[in-house]
Amino acid sequence: MKRPLQLLTVAAATTTLLALGASGASAHVSVDPDTTTAGSYALLTFGVPHGCGESATTKVSVQIPEPITSVTPTVNPGWDVEKVMVTLATPIDDGHGGQLTERVGEIVYTARSPLPDGYRDALVLSTKLPDTVGETLVFPTVQTCQEGESAWVQVAAEGEDPHDLDLPAPVLTVTAAEDGAAHGETETVSDESATVEAAAAPAEPSSTPLVLSWVAVVLGAAGLALGGAAFVRGRRSQG
């Protein structure tokens, strides 16, 4: 009896530690991208897991790092959203033959009704990630509450564990495309000769007709055997 009790105690302790670890990992405002591929369009989900202490959240302000110029915030029914634009010191090419003189410097979500502590919400931004693989993007975020605020703006120094920070800023790192596919697009063949060769290539024979032929032969033989047996029985009864 003692051994099973010890096992139960260890299991319970392990479960508790895992739960604490999971709650600790989600205890701060964080960013969860659906992709980190360089040059791709990404949805960045900012999780707001709790208030400031026990105070309800009234506003969340996300600062946009300089490498990002354009952001489209997702409308959330419980929040009013605003883009805060900043003037660029030097205009940059917009990729469409024009120039950008300003960029989105901050996205501000204001709660229509305060988000109580102990309740979670998610705020989603759409943006194009930079083309530089390995670039780290920091999104300093200030969470304002009915009483006080939490400034999630700390960035780990070199060699420092981000988990040791009290108020870490949401961070993501741009990564290379997998398997040579860029920008989340499916690779297509545009070479005309390859297309012609593929069209001219004979289709591989299917084994399905052959299988069906053998099935027909077997069924036919079975039918003949049954018919022969019936004929013999009939002759015997007549005799």
Side-chain angles (χ1 to χ4, degrees):
M1 185 67 181
K2 184 177 180 181
R3 179 64 175 173
L5 287 176
Q6 289 176 341
L7 292 175
L8 287 173
T9 302
V10 171
T14 303
T15 302
T16 302
L17 289 174
L18 289 173
L20 289 174
S23 62
S26 61
H28 53 80
V29 173
S30 59
V31 60
D32 180 22
D34 68 339
T35 180
T36 56
T37 301
S40 65
Y41 286 90
L43 293 177
L44 311 180
T45 301
F46 290 81
V48 185
H50 57 71
C52 308
E54 297 182 355
S55 182
T57 300
T58 57
K59 184 169 64 174
V60 176
S61 304
V62 181
Q63 294 181 33
I64 307 302
E66 288 187 4
I68 294 177
T69 57
S70 178
V71 177
T72 302
T74 300
V75 174
N76 186 309
W79 305 73
D80 292 321
V81 62
E82 174 191 5
K83 293 187 195 180
V84 178
M85 307 300 293
V86 295
T87 302
L88 294 171
T90 303
I92 60 175
D93 184 9
D94 65 358
H96 302 284
Q99 288 191 322
L100 293 176
T101 58
E102 60 180 7
R103 71 176 188 88
V104 178
E106 186 177 19
I107 299 293
V108 180
Y109 277 93
T110 303
R112 295 179 180 177
S113 178
L115 177 66
D117 177 51
Y119 290 83
R120 183 184 184 280
D121 209 339
L123 310 173
V124 183
L125 307 181
S126 173
T127 189
K128 186 176 185 292
L129 298 179
D131 294 324
T132 306
V133 175
E135 183 166 9
T136 298
L137 302 176
V138 182
F139 299 84
T141 302
V142 176
Q143 177 185 9
T144 304
C145 298
Q146 288 179 318
E147 295 182 9
E149 68 176 24
S150 294
W152 304 95
V153 299
Q154 296 177 342
V155 179
E158 186 176 353
E160 184 180 13
D161 188 346
H163 295 93
D164 293 336
L165 301 176
D166 294 327
L167 295 166
V171 175
L172 70 84
T173 301
V174 179
T175 59
E178 296 181 4
D179 301 327
H183 309 299
E185 298 177 356
T186 303
E187 186 176 352
T188 57
V189 177
S190 58
D191 186 29
E192 244 179 68
S193 61
T195 304
V196 172
E197 184 180 351
E204 291 190 9
S206 171
S207 61
T208 302
L210 182 60
V211 172
L212 292 176
S213 299
W214 278 107
V215 170
V217 170
V218 173
L219 291 177
L224 288 174
L226 291 174
F231 178 77
V232 171
R233 286 196 300 269
R235 297 285 295 176
R236 286 177 180 174
S237 61
Q238 290 177 4

